Amino acid sequence: MKFKTLSLSAIGLLVSVAAANATASDLCNVAEADRQPIENLQSRLESEGWEIRKIKVDEGCYEAYAINAEGQRVEAYFDPQTFELIKSEID
């Protein structure tokens, strides 16, 4: 009986680790070779009237801190290959 309990505990641990890795995975899974330069995203956003404060890589996405064309502070995540908006928060 101890063996079964130990085995089930080990399986539970492996499932927990796998689940943690799945939730820790990047929001944007794009190979480095397929990424566009950050400067291209900055140029695009500035042409749309955004004032860029900072752009960095976070969760595999490009994360921009900026003031949008409406004058709102924005934290936005973009796909580094397509520049598609993934998610954003307006302060």
Side-chain angles (χ1 to χ4, degrees):
M1 192 66 165
K2 279 187 176 181
F3 182 74
K4 285 184 181 179
T5 302
L6 179 60
S7 295
L8 291 177
S9 295
I11 290 171
L13 178 62
L14 289 174
V15 169
S16 296
V17 169
N21 285 338
T23 56
S25 68
D26 290 340
L27 182 62
C28 299
N29 293 311
V30 177
E32 191 67 36
D34 296 329
R35 293 173 175 268
Q36 293 191 53
I38 287 177
E39 295 80 15
N40 292 0
L41 175 60
Q42 181 167 345
S43 294
R44 180 180 141 193
L45 294 174
E46 287 174 344
S47 74
E48 294 175 4
W50 289 40
E51 184 180 324
I52 305 302
R53 301 288 191 220
K54 179 180 180 178
I55 299 177
K56 66 178 187 169
V57 177
D58 186 33
E59 296 188 53
C61 300
Y62 290 156
E63 180 182 21
Y65 295 89
I67 306 295
N68 67 15
E70 291 78 32
Q72 302 164 311
R73 290 185 346 168
V74 178
E75 179 182 343
Y77 286 78
F78 295 90
D79 181 286
Q81 183 176 22
T82 64
F83 296 152
E84 175 187 353
L85 179 63
I86 303 297
K87 67 178 184 177
S88 67
E89 255 185 54
I90 296 176
D91 287 337

